[in-house]
Amino acid sequence: MKNSKFLRALNLKTNTIPPVWFMRQAGRYLPEYQKVRKNYSNFLDMCKEPKTCAELALQPIERFNLDASILFSDILTIPDALNLGLAFHEGEGPKFSNPISSTDDINNLYAFDVNSLDYVFRAVEETKNLIPANLPLIGFCGSPWTLAAYSIEGGGSKDFKKTKTFMAENPNALHDFLEILSDACYQYLKQQVLSGVNALQIFDSWADLLSENELELFSLRYTKKITQKLKDDPITNHIPIILFEKNPNKDITDLIFKDLSCISLYWTSDIRILSESLKNEVAIQGNLDPKVLSESDEIIQKEVQKICSLMKDYPGFIFNLGHGITPEIKPAKVEVMIKAIREDT
Ligand code: CP3
């Protein structure tokens, strides 16, 4: 693990060739993933098989020799453990059969029992056993805000209208819920660390629903509660934490706080400007637009080189996509991207 380029970058060290991994690296764009996936009608059932999770996490490592592995699971395991009844069916996004629709639903929630997510911690152990010994494993959770948004909306949605109405009508209940989720996320991440993960990423995938003030009040404030607890805890205080905020309505420089080792940039962020203002403060991960991977090889190479040359001397750069890879991307295009990263520098 000492020679991990990924961990070096998280400690603000430069690497001659930047480390690379990417969001949804294990997923539907890989035919070997589809082969396993077709044995399950509900995606969550697959997440509950630790050996299968380990096998899926290994797939992109074997294919592309990436510099970090990410736990195969989902951010919505926590609301599921709170008894909201999560299912993912063919061709649909996540759906909760028992979403939060009133203050009473929050008052009557099941107490979070971290042991009910034992299948995730066993997946961490199985994955650590399966991947190369020197390869770091990233654990993760959703931000409390993003988990609350899914839990209230009952699934994905274009406008998250229910969530916004709930926020306007029941702000106090929403704060209670965010508090419950923050504590659950902390316990969940701590247990992932105890099971073997080497870094943590928090996904705030619905940050863009919030205005600048709301982002601080409903999202960052709770994410900070998680990181504060992790940093106060001797078991977890050495683990680097990465934050991904999707298209936030706030300057990225104002999102950084002391517990973060790294900020993962959405593809709309200007990595050049940010690399100047964040130098020596945090590592930067990002941020190739995933849509570039459907372009020609030449365009992919050009866009990759642009990012790599900008970030060449940045202390702590990790190449990543600016959001998850999408199912229609051809693995050969990922190959082109990785070659360009590794040959160019
Ligand atoms: O390599 C990896 O990154 C695998 C682990 C992983 C998954 N989901 C597997 C998955 C991770 C880190 C996630 C995080 C996640 N899950 C996020 C945050 C990242 C982001 O995209 O912003 C979010 C918002 C979710 C919630 C979620 N899970 C949605 C909205 C969906 C369905 C639609 C979609 O975009 O895929 C999922 C399902 C899911 N999670 C799949 C995978 C591989 C596809 C499921 C399938 O095969 O049917």
Side-chain angles (χ1 to χ4, degrees), residues 119-343:
Y119 64 89
V120 177
F121 313 130
R122 285 194 291 126
V124 172
E125 289 166 5
E126 294 287 350
T127 309
K128 284 299 281 186
N129 285 337
L130 199 62
I131 62 177
N134 58 353
L135 192 72
L137 178 64
I138 305 166
F140 67 89
C141 71
S143 72
W145 162 251
T146 290
L147 298 182
Y150 275 116
S151 304
I152 295 167
E153 206 65 28
S157 133
K158 273 214 179 72
D159 52 11
F160 276 77
K161 218 168 161 184
K162 281 189 200 153
T163 306
K164 286 181 173 163
T165 308
F166 193 95
M167 189 169 114
E169 290 177 355
N170 309 291
N172 293 338
L174 178 56
H175 281 298
D176 291 345
F177 188 33
L178 290 165
E179 195 74 58
I180 292 169
L181 290 167
S182 310
D183 186 56
C185 288
Y186 157 66
Q187 291 187 53
Y188 185 56
L189 293 180
K190 176 174 179 177
Q191 201 56 47
Q192 290 183 31
V193 171
L194 283 167
S195 309
V197 305
N198 309 101
L200 294 169
Q201 179 152 335
I202 300 176
F203 289 96
D204 196 9
S205 302
W206 289 113
D208 55 344
L209 296 174
L210 299 169
S211 69
E212 183 169 3
N213 287 341
E214 289 167 345
L215 187 65
E216 187 60 47
L217 204 62
F218 290 98
S219 182
L220 291 174
R221 182 169 157 204
Y222 292 96
T223 294
K224 287 175 188 172
K225 289 191 187 217
I226 304 172
T227 60
Q228 177 78 58
K229 285 185 186 165
L230 292 167
K231 292 296 167 186
D232 284 348
D233 188 327
I235 291 171
T236 49
N237 66 5
H238 61 292
I239 299 287
I241 301 171
I242 307 167
L243 178 64
F244 171 74
E245 291 285 318
K246 186 182 126 205
N247 213 12
N249 292 308
K250 198 174 168 73
D251 277 358
I252 301 288
T253 44
D254 298 333
L255 290 175
I256 309 300
F257 51 95
K258 67 171 174 28
D259 298 335
L260 293 184
S261 292
C262 178
I263 185 86
S264 193
L265 299 180
Y266 190 60
W267 57 271
T268 51
S269 290
D270 188 330
I271 200 168
R272 186 185 62 78
I273 294 179
L274 288 166
S275 65
E276 283 159 19
S277 41
L278 295 175
K279 207 166 186 165
N280 301 320
E281 241 183 278
V282 276
I284 289 183
Q285 186 171 271
N287 74 339
L288 185 73
D289 180 351
K291 289 193 289 300
V292 168
L293 295 177
S294 37
E295 303 285 348
S296 67
D297 293 4
E298 291 70 30
I299 293 181
I300 297 173
Q301 284 154 354
K302 195 178 109 230
E303 294 299 319
V304 167
Q305 281 155 5
K306 217 193 273 173
I307 295 178
C308 288
S309 66
L310 278 171
M311 299 304 283
K312 208 158 128 12
D313 301 316
Y314 187 86
F317 171 56
I318 299 160
F319 195 100
N320 205 307
L321 297 176
H323 202 194
I325 191 166
T326 46
E328 76 287 358
I329 299 298
K330 297 202 170 46
K333 296 291 184 178
V334 175
E335 198 81 62
V336 172
M337 171 182 87
I338 290 170
K339 270 216 173 92
I341 299 165
R342 293 184 171 158
E343 283 172 6

Side-chain angles (χ1 to χ4, degrees), residues 21-28 33 37 43 46 70-76 88 92-94 140 146 150 203 205-206 244 246 323-324:
W21 75 277
F22 53 95
M23 291 183 243
R24 298 282 167 96
Q25 62 190 25
R28 288 164 293 180
Y33 171 88
R37 176 69 175 92
F43 167 77
M46 188 167 78
I70 181 159
L71 166 68
F72 192 90
S73 190
D74 199 83
I75 63 167
L76 299 177
F88 290 85
E92 289 177 38
F140 67 89
T146 290
Y150 275 116
F203 289 96
S205 302
W206 289 113
F244 171 74
K246 186 182 126 205
H323 202 194

